Amino acid sequence: MAAQRKRPSTTKRPAAKRPATSRTTAASRSKSGAGKSAAKNGGKGGALRGFGRRVGGQGPWWARALRWFSFVGVTGILAAAAAFFVLYQTINIPDANADFQTQTTQVYYSDGKHKIGEFALQDRENISIDEIPASMQAAAIAAEDRSFYTNRGIDLKGIIRAVRDNTTSGEIQGGGSTITQQYVKILYLTQERSYTRKVKEAILSIKIHNQLSKKEILEGYLNTIYFGNGAYGVQVASQDYFGKPASELNYAQSALLATIINSPGYYDPYAENAQSRIQPRFNYVLKGMVKSGAITSEEAAKFSDKLPSVKPKKDLNRFGGTKGFLLAAVKDQMTKLEFTPSQIEGGGLRIVTTFDYEDQKDAVEAIKLNRPADRPELHPALASIQPGTGAVRAMYGGPDFLKSQQNWALLPTQPGSTFKVFAVVAALENGYSLRTTLNGNSPLRDKDGKQITENQGETGTSSFGQIPLSTATAKSVNTAFVDLTIQMAGGMDSDWAKGADKVLKAANQAGIPSSITDKWAKVANVSLGTNPVPPIDMANAYATLAADGKRADWYMVETVKDYQGTVLHEHEVKTKQTIPKDVAADTIAAMQGVVSAGSGTNARTICPTAGKTGTATAGEDEDQHVSSSWFAGITPKLATAVMYNRGVGNEDLEGYMVPFFGGQIPAKTFKAYMDRALDPSDCGTFPRPANIQAEKGTTYVAPKPKPKKTEKTSKPKPERTTPTPTTPAPPAPEPTTPPVPEPVPTTPPTQPTTPAPPTPPTPRTGP
């Protein structure tokens, strides 16, 4: 029994020990895991230590260190090569900077030799490497990249030197760039200073080196680089500094240009103390040229203490003076010919204009001689056109385009009585003649006694009585021309607009654009010049008469060629017989009377001359004032309009320009210009008067002379009846001093800066 009681305790002991056994096992597992982790880490460290021992090898410490440095260097080179490969493949040559591909467009007078000016984003004219002398090529290389012919687009020594300088200075200062790198930076990149840009520049330089020859790179560089004072490229620089093409540069001039490249502002030959700044760098370039064999040491020694002389500094204001108006007008014409702004400004075009070099000088001189002194608000204008072609031979729009861009030769101004010529044309086309009788009494009244208009001018409101159209034209009689318009309409009881319409139609036939006249009110005094017309259009309309009635549109651009000489535009003269020849001939005859014995005697030139004076007024009643003064005239080979106004366009001339009549200063200006521009041995002739016979109106018959009183009384003899002459009758008795053109009522402009077309005063209409 005792043995049986002990069994339960024996069986329980193993169960009591299980927890201890379990803890021991966990602990042992934990130690085992830690051991495995340590073993793993120890394996990595061992591998690195093993790699280090393999790289360093055995031996003293300095040997192991040397091997390590060699390893790092080789690895760096391989990494750099890999990076270069990736960059070379991924960096593409971008589109060239547009401004640096432009070339200057040259604008010439009609002879194609004398230059008016130029259009340019950058003043540049590209030339081939064959036109760049060897001295200039050698100088550029000596100054900027002496390893040019041996490097592959970049200079490692230069780059290392630049990195050192940039690092020590604490900022990106540049430097170390080869000619190829400079070319790349200008043509493809920006002027940003950063390591990123330098890396890109180096990659692109190598690419350009691999794609272009050294000659091509040097040609592009010298045509692109900036030489200061607005000159881009060696050709323009040579012309600006030395007044010669690049092909004629000598070695000293070449060296100076190469010196300027480094810093155009600092090495500016026009700057104060220029020689002290330039000479050291200049000598450096000469020594480099000696080293390369381009020049001898003796040649270099000649300029060791001096610089080659340069011409006076060029005025960079290309639009300054009177030429600016020509250039602006040509640019506008080019736009109308559908040339784009990029072509005009940077296409390297060669534009030959219609402006005659000598005629233009004559126009400027004529204005200077006749424009009253100390009258800054006075605006003269002149436009001169060749009859039969429409070519504008001279134009004066103002004294200085930079001070005021308003070209008064192109801006509309009230023409006054110069517009009466178109009423003469209209009358001759519509059944009247130069001998048609007109009412020259002043004032002119309608059938109810209301005043329509009056005569004005030096003779005041003088009445001329019944006079022929020829006399009305010579004396510029306002009332007679209003009467003519009313007669063409059908009389006092008719719609006067019909007569005005005929006058405007004649103006359009002559060359006054309908875009101008379509805006005008059709009133009886339309021929008195109450509405504005640009002088250039008036000159062209008169040119139509000088060309026997053949109209040609005026133009300024003769030919346009690209920089390779290809013709892009050539003007084709087109004429149209818009006015019958006999009408043109008789109109000229009437206009000759103005110059020979009328209001325009001051305009007589060395050649046969015909023309018309004009003096316009603006404002109503007490506010009325003289607004402009004109003379427009022709010879067989040239038509010219001269105009003077004041201020914004229609300000008062009376008391400011003395005398203010068109037959005075404008007529004298006309004569001064024409006598210079015309060749007395080649004047040409006007057509003989056609003596058109009237089908309408009343033909003028001169009054019979009064019999002389005698002391002896005798039986009067019957007067012989004078038959109607076939030529225009002589004018009625005239004042000893020919009256000059009369002011015409107009209204003031509404714009403060540009004369706007005024609304003409509406005359009292008939019932």
Side-chain angles (χ1 to χ4, degrees):
M1 295 295 293
Q4 291 178 349
R5 290 191 189 102
K6 290 180 181 178
R7 287 179 182 173
S9 60
T10 303
T11 58
K12 290 180 182 179
R13 286 173 186 159
K17 291 181 180 179
R18 283 177 185 172
T21 304
S22 178
R23 286 194 298 273
T24 302
T25 303
S28 63
R29 287 176 181 171
S30 177
K31 290 179 180 179
S32 175
K36 289 180 180 180
S37 177
K40 184 177 181 181
N41 291 335
K44 289 182 178 179
L48 291 174
R49 286 193 295 274
F51 177 74
R53 284 194 295 272
R54 287 194 295 274
V55 172
Q58 302 296 322
W61 67 269
W62 57 268
R64 295 196 300 272
L66 182 60
R67 293 189 189 101
W68 262 106
F69 281 122
S70 298
F71 172 76
V72 171
V74 172
T75 303
I77 291 173
L78 293 174
F84 174 80
F85 177 80
V86 172
L87 291 172
Y88 192 88
Q89 297 298 319
T90 57
I91 295 178
N92 297 317
I93 297 177
D95 293 334
N97 293 327
D99 288 355
F100 287 91
Q101 286 189 308
T102 62
Q103 294 191 55
T104 301
T105 289
Q106 309 291 340
V107 185
Y108 294 89
Y109 287 99
S110 58
D111 59 10
K113 298 177 181 178
H114 292 91
K115 191 164 75 171
I116 300 174
E118 52 204 20
F119 304 134
L121 292 172
Q122 294 180 352
D123 194 359
R124 176 185 292 103
E125 185 178 345
N126 289 346
I127 57 177
S128 70
I129 192 68
D130 295 332
E131 297 176 83
I132 302 174
S135 63
M136 186 65 233
Q137 297 179 43
I141 292 170
E144 297 298 314
D145 183 7
R146 295 186 179 183
S147 66
F148 174 71
Y149 282 114
T150 58
N151 66 51
R152 298 186 59 81
I154 59 174
D155 181 3
L156 292 177
K157 291 181 180 179
I159 292 174
I160 292 171
R161 182 175 62 252
V163 170
R164 179 198 64 200
D165 294 342
N166 293 337
T167 301
T168 56
S169 68
E171 60 181 4
I172 305 299
Q173 295 181 330
S177 295
T178 63
I179 282 177
T180 307
Q181 285 176 277
Q182 292 181 51
Y183 181 47
V184 164
K185 179 174 66 175
I186 293 170
L187 197 59
Y188 299 111
L189 302 175
T190 67
Q191 300 303 305
E192 174 194 6
R193 290 186 172 184
S194 67
Y195 286 114
T196 301
R197 199 267 296 160
K198 291 294 289 184
V199 169
K200 193 173 184 180
E201 176 188 300
I203 298 297
L204 290 175
S205 297
I206 295 172
K207 279 196 166 187
I208 292 296
H209 167 81
N210 291 336
Q211 293 182 13
L212 301 178
S213 68
K214 289 292 186 180
K215 279 192 173 183
E216 290 173 322
I217 293 171
L218 189 58
E219 175 184 306
Y221 174 77
L222 289 174
N223 277 317
T224 305
I225 202 70
Y226 183 54
F227 287 88
N229 289 293
Y232 289 83
V234 66
Q235 178 75 339
V236 172
S238 179
Q239 291 168 339
D240 287 358
Y241 288 118
F242 305 114
K244 61 172 68 174
S247 60
E248 298 178 9
L249 289 169
N250 60 39
Y251 73 92
Q253 293 166 338
S254 298
L256 179 57
L257 291 183
T259 299
I260 295 171
I261 291 174
N262 184 263
S263 180
Y266 185 79
Y267 297 122
D268 182 356
Y270 301 114
E272 188 177 357
N273 300 320
Q275 183 170 358
S276 62
R277 292 185 182 188
I278 296 174
Q279 196 72 53
R281 176 76 180 178
F282 178 74
N283 291 342
Y284 166 79
V285 175
L286 289 177
K287 289 177 181 178
M289 295 174 73
V290 171
K291 187 175 181 180
S292 68
I295 61 173
T296 64
S297 55
E298 289 78 11
E299 288 175 319
K302 292 180 181 179
F303 286 90
S304 61
D305 58 354
K306 65 178 181 178
L307 300 174
S309 60
V310 295
K311 62 181 291 189
K313 188 174 183 179
K314 178 183 176 181
D315 184 2
L316 295 180
N317 293 323
R318 300 183 182 92
F319 281 70
T322 60
K323 291 182 180 180
F325 295 97
L326 306 186
L327 291 171
V330 169
K331 181 181 286 188
D332 182 62
Q333 290 288 297
M334 290 289 288
T335 300
K336 291 178 179 178
L337 292 172
E338 299 184 349
F339 284 88
T340 65
S342 60
Q343 285 178 298
I344 298 170
E345 296 282 359
L349 304 178
R350 189 177 189 274
I351 302 171
V352 177
T353 69
T354 60
F355 300 116
D356 183 274
Y357 177 67
E358 295 296 337
D359 288 359
Q360 184 62 33
K361 289 197 301 182
D362 295 337
V364 174
E365 185 63 23
I367 296 291
K368 288 181 178 179
L369 288 174
N370 289 279
R371 183 182 188 276
D374 303 322
R375 293 291 184 266
E377 297 177 21
L378 195 62
H379 305 304
L382 183 150
S384 189
I385 292 177
Q386 182 179 32
T389 68
V392 181
R393 293 307 185 196
M395 181 176 69
Y396 183 96
D400 190 349
F401 184 82
L402 295 179
K403 293 181 179 179
S404 173
Q405 289 74 52
Q406 290 195 341
N407 187 337
W408 293 103
L410 301 179
L411 290 172
T413 306
Q414 294 159 300
S417 294
T418 59
F419 206 80
K420 289 175 180 173
V421 167
F422 308 122
V424 177
V425 173
L428 296 173
E429 288 182 328
N430 285 275
Y432 300 88
S433 76
L434 294 182
R435 301 190 68 253
T436 293
T437 301
L438 302 175
N439 185 356
N441 289 315
S442 180
L444 180 68
R445 301 180 184 277
D446 63 17
K447 68 176 187 177
D448 295 327
K450 295 179 180 179
Q451 180 174 320
I452 302 172
T453 191
E454 65 179 0
N455 292 329
Q456 297 176 336
E458 285 186 302
T459 57
T461 58
S462 299
S463 289
F464 290 84
Q466 301 298 304
I467 55 175
L469 177 56
S470 58
T471 300
T473 304
K475 303 302 180 184
S476 198
V477 182
N478 284 359
T479 56
F481 274 90
V482 173
D483 180 43
L484 176 63
T485 302
I486 293 173
Q487 285 192 43
M488 287 191 289
M492 280 289 181
D493 294 330
S494 66
D495 180 4
W496 298 349
K498 293 180 179 179
D501 187 64
K502 292 175 181 178
V503 175
L504 296 181
K505 180 182 177 182
N508 298 152
Q509 291 172 338
I512 304 298
S514 58
S515 59
I516 293 176
T517 60
D518 285 348
K519 303 173 184 177
W520 298 356
K522 295 178 180 179
V523 293
N525 68 346
V526 70
S527 66
L528 305 187
T530 60
N531 297 284
V533 175
I536 196 167
D537 287 323
M538 188 63 74
N540 195 48
Y542 274 45
T544 298
L545 295 171
D548 296 332
K550 292 181 180 179
R551 186 185 69 207
D553 293 335
W554 63 264
Y555 71 102
M556 299 177 181
V557 177
E558 197 70 68
T559 61
V560 181
K561 296 180 180 180
D562 65 15
Y563 67 95
Q564 295 177 323
T566 303
V567 177
L568 303 180
H569 168 77
E570 187 169 8
H571 181 79
E572 180 182 354
V573 174
K574 295 180 181 180
T575 61
K576 183 179 180 181
Q577 190 77 45
T578 55
I579 296 175
K581 289 185 178 181
D582 58 348
V583 171
D586 276 6
T587 302
I588 291 172
M591 294 165 64
Q592 283 183 288
V594 175
V595 177
S596 63
S599 59
T601 55
N602 283 323
R604 293 174 186 165
T605 74
I606 57 176
C607 291
T609 309
K612 188 68 190 74
T613 54
T615 309
T617 60
E620 295 287 350
D621 300 327
E622 294 181 359
D623 293 330
Q624 190 176 93
H625 60 272
V626 179
S627 57
S628 64
S629 185
W630 288 64
F631 186 86
I634 57 174
T635 66
K637 295 194 175 182
L638 201 58
T640 300
V642 175
M643 185 279 303
Y644 283 79
N645 68 11
R646 180 186 178 188
V648 298
N650 281 8
E651 295 184 25
D652 196 359
L653 285 178
E654 189 170 3
Y656 192 77
M657 185 177 85
V658 181
F660 59 77
F661 296 104
Q664 297 298 320
I665 294 174
K668 292 176 181 178
T669 304
F670 172 89
K671 173 181 172 57
Y673 163 70
M674 296 291 271
D675 281 351
R676 288 169 171 77
L678 295 171
D679 180 356
S681 65
D682 187 27
C683 285
T685 59
F686 285 132
R688 294 176 61 85
N691 296 318
I692 296 173
Q693 298 301 302
E695 299 173 357
K696 300 177 182 178
T698 303
T699 299
Y700 177 80
V701 178
K704 295 178 181 180
K706 295 180 180 180
K708 295 181 179 180
K709 293 182 179 180
T710 59
E711 293 181 0
K712 185 178 180 180
T713 304
S714 61
K715 185 179 179 180
K717 296 181 179 180
E719 293 280 348
R720 181 179 177 182
T721 303
T722 303
T724 302
T726 57
T727 56
E734 304 162 4
T736 55
T737 302
V740 243
E742 64 287 347
V744 179
T746 54
T747 54
T750 57
Q751 297 296 328
T753 56
T754 302
T759 303
T762 304
R764 297 180 179 90
T765 58

